[in-house]
Amino acid sequence: MTHFGHKDEWQHFASKHEATVEAVTAAHKATLGLLQSAQAKTESPEQKTILALGLACLKEFEEIVLLCGNGYGSGANKLLRTFFERVTTVGYLGKRPDKVQQFIDFTPVHWHKLLTEADKKHEKVGLSEEEIAKIKADFEKVKGEYQDACTCGKKRLQGSWTKKPVPDMAEDVDKDLRLMYFNAFLAPTFLIHATYFGVMRVAGISESGKLHFFKPENEREMARDTLSNAHLLLIIMGIVVNKFFTLEADGVLEGLGKNFERVCRIEHEAGQKGVEG
């Protein structure tokens, strides 16, 4: 049977970051429990949206852990950007449930973009005439709500469901979340796009100037840092869900926070020893 993954990387990561693995496992279990409790209380569209975002966050966290454990730190770092955006969005909507419908109503804009591209470049769209007509009608209903001023003086469709930039939303959710924007959103963006900065960060260049074929050291370092950021984001998501659904799990989340601080100290001390050695 063919196995996908790198056993040597699993073993390296598990032995090198034992305390971190234990802590993120505990955080995953606790936040899964919070989401399950929230599911039992979910009725309104606002609650369903917050729950769906929370579940998406949990799944993304699992994907990040999988990549980190297999030596794909750069891949995990790319996902960290979307994870940060989801946590920021669920946090913002958790504080502003009046904005949930605005978030939902942008969906016809997404469908219309897909339809426009399919209609332009593909012979068969794969939708019935009735489905196409509905997409166009739904788009016409909401497009006026998502207009952005252009420098030419005309109006155009805005690129997202809200005009509020991601860092500003993060600031509204939590000042610590805003501080994470640099490492958890902006820097990973350079890895997602085709940038010289991103390529060189992954590949690396030796002191002699030789280009490496993706240095394991670079990947492992990114895996460590990415998982640390993802760990904290998962806890923030748990705090949002706990407060929005009044789950009364403050003690559990406080314990997760202390656990996070503990493993950060352990990782820092291990890093210092590595430098000294």
Side-chain angles (χ1 to χ4, degrees):
M1 180 184 291
T2 301
H3 295 277
F4 294 95
H6 301 288
K7 189 175 181 180
D8 55 334
E9 290 295 335
W10 305 341
Q11 293 170 341
H12 174 272
F13 196 87
S15 62
K16 190 81 173 176
H17 307 288
E18 185 177 356
T20 299
V21 171
E22 290 177 359
V24 298
T25 300
H28 178 273
K29 182 179 179 181
T31 48
L32 174 60
L34 288 172
L35 289 167
Q36 288 172 332
S37 297
Q39 187 175 31
K41 301 178 73 171
T42 296
E43 294 179 355
S44 69
E46 292 79 12
Q47 290 173 327
K48 289 177 181 177
T49 301
I50 297 298
L51 178 64
L53 278 166
L55 290 168
C57 285
L58 187 70
K59 186 175 185 297
E60 201 137 48
F61 177 77
E62 292 171 351
E63 293 167 354
I64 288 171
V65 172
L66 183 64
L67 287 170
C68 286
N70 275 282
Y72 290 107
S74 58
N77 200 250
K78 293 170 194 173
L79 285 178
L80 185 65
R81 181 190 185 279
T82 56
F83 187 31
F84 179 89
E85 188 173 353
R86 287 193 211 280
V87 172
T88 297
T89 302
V90 73
Y92 182 70
L93 293 178
K95 279 191 168 183
R96 296 290 306 274
D98 59 303
K99 296 287 186 181
V100 169
Q101 196 58 50
Q102 180 181 330
F103 177 72
I104 295 171
D105 287 346
F106 196 69
T107 305
V109 178
H110 286 141
W111 271 110
H112 190 263
K113 286 181 179 180
L114 291 170
L115 178 62
T116 300
E117 175 61 19
D119 201 33
K120 188 188 300 181
K121 291 294 180 181
H122 297 273
E123 291 183 10
K124 293 182 179 180
V125 175
L127 297 171
S128 67
E129 291 184 8
E130 291 79 10
E131 289 171 322
I132 292 172
K134 186 177 187 309
I135 289 172
K136 290 181 177 179
D138 289 344
F139 173 71
E140 289 299 323
K141 285 179 186 177
V142 303
K143 71 176 184 179
E145 301 298 320
Y146 302 100
Q147 298 289 323
D148 211 353
C150 179
T151 53
C152 62
K154 296 180 180 180
K155 287 190 175 183
R156 62 183 179 188
L157 270 175
Q158 62 194 55
S160 178
W161 68 274
T162 176
K163 294 178 183 178
K164 199 175 186 71
V166 173
D168 291 352
M169 283 200 294
E171 183 84 43
D172 283 356
V173 176
D174 186 272
K175 291 188 183 300
D176 288 335
L177 183 63
R178 175 62 181 87
L179 290 173
M180 295 181 72
Y181 177 78
F182 180 93
N183 287 320
F185 186 94
L186 188 58
T189 300
F190 301 136
L191 288 178
I192 291 170
H193 297 302
T195 65
Y196 184 80
F197 172 90
V199 172
M200 288 301 110
R201 189 180 176 204
V202 175
I205 300 177
S206 67
E207 292 180 4
S208 63
K210 183 179 179 181
L211 186 66
H212 288 276
F213 190 73
F214 305 116
K215 288 176 68 176
E217 295 84 358
N218 286 7
E219 291 289 335
R220 289 173 177 178
E221 183 180 345
M222 272 192 278
R224 180 200 64 206
D225 294 342
T226 297
L227 189 56
S228 179
N229 279 297
H231 184 184
L232 183 53
L233 285 172
L234 186 69
I235 295 171
I236 292 172
M237 183 274 287
I239 292 170
V240 171
V241 170
N242 176 57
K243 186 174 182 180
F244 183 80
F245 288 96
T246 59
L247 300 176
E248 300 181 357
D250 295 23
V252 172
L253 290 159
E254 185 178 343
L256 294 182
K258 289 179 178 178
N259 221 9
F260 172 78
E261 292 174 356
R262 180 180 64 83
V263 296
C264 280
R265 286 194 298 270
I266 292 172
E267 291 285 356
H268 177 72
E269 290 168 5
Q272 288 297 106
K273 288 179 182 178
V275 171
E276 293 167 3

